[in-house]
Amino acid sequence: MAVTYCLSRPATALVAVLLLSFGSVAASHIEDQAEQLFRSGHTNNWAVLVCTSRFWFNYRHVANTLSVYRSVKRLGIPDSHIVLMLADDMACNPRNPKPATVFSHKNMELNVYGDDVEVDYRSYEVTVENFLRVLTGRIPPSTPRSKRLLSDDRSNILIYMTGHGGNGFLKFQDSEEITNIELADAFEQMWQKRRYNELLFIIDTCQGASMYERFYSPNIMALASSQVGEDSLSHQPDPAIGVHLMDRYTFYVLEFLEEINPASQTNMNDLFQVCPKSLCVSTPGHRTDLFQRDPKNVLITDFFGSVRKVEITTETINLQQGSEIMESSYKEDQMDEEPVEPLKYAEQLPVAQIIHQKPKLKDWHPPGGFILGLWALIIMVFFKTYGIKHMKFIF
Amino acid sequence: MGLLSDPVRRRALARLVLRLNAPLWALPVAWLERTMRSVGLEVYTQSFSRKLPFPDETHERYMVSGTNVYGILRAPRAASTESLVLTVPCGSDSTNSQAVGLLLALAAHFRGQIYWAKDIIFLVTEHDLLGTEAWLEAYHDVNVTGMQSSPLQGRAGAIQAAVALELSSDVVTSLDVAVEGLNGQLPNLDLLNLFQTFCQKGGLLCTLQGKLQPQDWTSLDGPLQGLQTLLLMVLRQASGRPHGSHGLFLRYRVEALTLRGINSFRQYKYDLVAVGKALEGMFRKLNHLLERLHQSFFLYLLPALSRFVSIGLYMPAAGFLLLVLGLKALELWMQLHEAEVGLEEPGGGPGPSVPLPPSQGVGLASLVAPLLISQAMGLALYVLPVLGQHVATQHFPVAEAEAVVLTLLAIYAAGLALPHNTHRVVSTQAPDRGWMALKLVALIYLALQLGCIALTNFSLGFLLATTMVPAAALAKPHGPRTLYAALLVLTSPAATLLGSLFLWRELQEAPLSLAEGWQLFLAALAQGVLEHHTYGALLFPLLSLGLYPCWLLFWNVLFWK
């Protein structure tokens, strides 16, 4: 007995060690899985795609927006979760030699208008006011559901804007502008109303980087097609249609997105590399300081696709006795309620620590001694000219 | 002067024509209608008629009646709210025989495309500019010039732009563009830039004012050639004539150009396909427009097709010239004021000067007479030649056009004799102050007129200012009277017209001899009066009712006793 006991001690120790290791491996595997599951923290995807310019010669802006729409839809976001705003109708424009089509590649290779495009805000409805109302949710009750952004705090939102812009503004429809400050404030409103989990903002206009300079809300990642002082250029004119078909940045983003499928593991760092200066002529920029996760851990499909996560549970929930359970748990809560914790939002972020603001440049003042010396000199000269006898009355 | 100047010949010809019962040349209306309809356009015709104030010698016409034919290509998918016009003015002196062919070919080609967002009107007019004026008046439902035109049956919306074509041969060596229009109006510079872009793209040789584009801007040749082109443009704009159909469109704020195909002795010739391609490109670009052309300049001067001088650069020049008049007027005002003060207190010394109503009142009254008489002469110059032509032809062996021109010159010269008569009306108290007051009024009058003219037709204002301002500022009764008189006569409006004709032909490298120049001058006078009556050109009334009386005032000042 003692021998078996003696034999079993190392054996048990070995078994214990093995079990522990298995357990730890299993546990780490489960942890990995759990981490995978809750990696991004979002449960649904929305997209707001805006083309802000009208007129036939801004064909390329509509083609830009429609290409992103096409990719987003292909990767799984349904029309009910896409708010598409097009400021002009290019497909049915009388100047279109190929009616009911909008091409993004010359020689009419790719028609991005398709058969099932659902435009939510069209023509003159695309205004700054409507755009901000969509973002912040302050919409009149009569607005149909397709025109609302019904996101919650577990939504990842893709916002794509294109049109004509400048340093700090984006032009809507030739008559009004939205400034980068307005946009940043709108995003802050969204944050405070818990309307997004993470936001990806892409803008393809001239001097696009100025539009994301002022963001201060957390969990925003921004990409722009050009830096301040640079113009975003268009890609190819089509001689049959007579206008430029796409802008360069979005053209190469479209090419990049055509390679993505819903199972892709491509991450944001690859998106940052799209369209280097040699192809784009302008320098695309991006901003990730407000974003909590590392961009290399962020999948493209986190924003462009709608990948549903499934959580498998082995618990059973008895729904009939649910009311008793509810009541009893409620009573328990009431009894436990004496030490009341102050209520606060989960994950309250210290925003100021996240945003690294540039130190403000103070105006240069001459050193104090200089001013003092100057005044002393003036007083000396005064007394020299008018007589030194006055001095003793001063000092 | 022309075929119709001998009354005997004229009567014989009229009898012959009446016997033939056919016009000398007419537009083949039925054929045009048939052809345009077969191409697929909506075809309409419009008839018009007009009796000119006196027979037009250069175009050999007097009682004009004709028919315009136009076809409308409707935009397939757009509402017919806007349109473009391609027009070919046809006349008996037809420098435009090939253009109709190109027009029909373009119509057939355009009809096969679906990307037109504006209607396109293909217009063929008879009696060139008269027909165009009749069509435009009927299209816009106005009656500005007394033309009797029948109302239009078919319309196509607001005209955004128009191109007029003049081609006299089926191969061209270069395309000349004309921008100056009626009363010196110009189309938006964008339209010219559009033409120039397609010239470059198609490799066509394009000229402005008949001159090639200077290549070398670094040495002196380029700027010198640019200066010549600029001066030609100034002279053409100052004349206020519509240099082609486009000039009449500009009055209705329709941007328009005239393209002339020139067949010279160059070796490299372009066929009409090249011209057609350029036109197709222009029309397609105009089709893309969503608003009227308004982004570029409306007032400019062109030293070359690819360069322009904007109004901000050239207007100060006219401003400075008028400043001379202003300063001279100020000087006279000060002198008059001092003379008053000196009269009041001959003792001198400081003290408040009291205004003198009585002598000032006499001064004003003495001014009214010369003013009224000069203005009456101007009115006579404006009204009498056309009114009195029949009386003149009865008593003198001249044709009506000659009568008009000679009456003009006669009244103009009669004005020179005025100063000897006005003095009988004017009282001679304080003669010195009399002429100074008259000169002051005349200077202000001239400055106002030239200022207003320079704002609407800069070239005319500037040209008249450069010639009239020095003479006007210098005119005074004292000093070398013959010299001042010669200067004033040489810078009178008529002499300016004569001089500018010589300068114009000199710049075009076809200089005139004196006799030719005189004939051209007489023809220009007749054309000026005629164009005022037929198109509403303002050169004739401005010169006769405005500047000539002003000039007479200075003439009065010069011969003040």
Side-chain angles (χ1 to χ4, degrees), chain A residues 102-228:
Chain A
V102 173
F103 291 108
S104 59
H105 288 61
K106 73 173 174 200
N107 302 323
M108 292 167 278
E109 283 169 16
L110 181 59
N111 174 17
V112 289
Y113 197 66
D115 286 336
D116 56 349
V117 169
E118 261 187 40
V119 183
D120 301 306
Y121 285 83
R122 60 193 67 218
S123 184
Y124 290 105
E125 292 171 358
V126 178
T127 58
V128 175
E129 179 186 347
N130 280 352
F131 175 61
L132 292 177
R133 282 185 186 281
V134 161
L135 286 183
T136 56
R138 297 176 196 279
I139 284 190
S142 57
T143 318
R145 203 183 160 93
S146 61
K147 286 186 165 172
R148 292 176 186 254
L149 177 66
L150 297 164
S151 55
D152 54 28
D153 64 323
R154 290 271 149 242
S155 308
N156 273 10
I157 308 184
L158 164 72
I159 299 184
Y160 175 83
M161 302 184 78
T162 183
H164 288 288
N167 191 353
F169 67 91
L170 172 61
K171 183 175 76 159
F172 267 69
Q173 301 243 23
D174 236 21
S175 59
E176 50 182 2
E177 297 148 0
I178 186 171
T179 56
N180 49 4
I181 299 173
E182 276 181 323
L183 198 58
D185 286 342
F187 287 163
E188 176 65 13
Q189 281 191 53
M190 286 173 81
W191 173 252
Q192 292 195 4
K193 289 169 80 163
R194 294 322 214 193
R195 280 170 69 77
Y196 70 90
N197 174 42
E198 284 167 348
L199 201 102
L200 176 64
F201 176 75
I202 306 184
I203 184 160
D204 188 351
T205 63
C206 301
Q207 309 194 48
S210 62
M211 287 307 282
Y212 62 60
E213 272 175 2
R214 299 294 195 128
F215 292 166
Y216 56 96
S217 316
N219 287 355
I220 300 183
M221 187 179 332
L223 281 108
S225 59
S226 56
Q227 303 293 327
V228 175

Side-chain angles (χ1 to χ4, degrees), chain A residues 55-56 93-97 240, chain B residues 77 114 117 284 287-290:
Chain A
F55 300 145
W56 173 245
N93 195 309
R95 294 166 184 76
N96 195 343
Chain B
R77 288 174 284 143
I114 64 164
R284 210 163 159 196
N287 178 46
H288 281 194
L289 285 176
L290 273 121

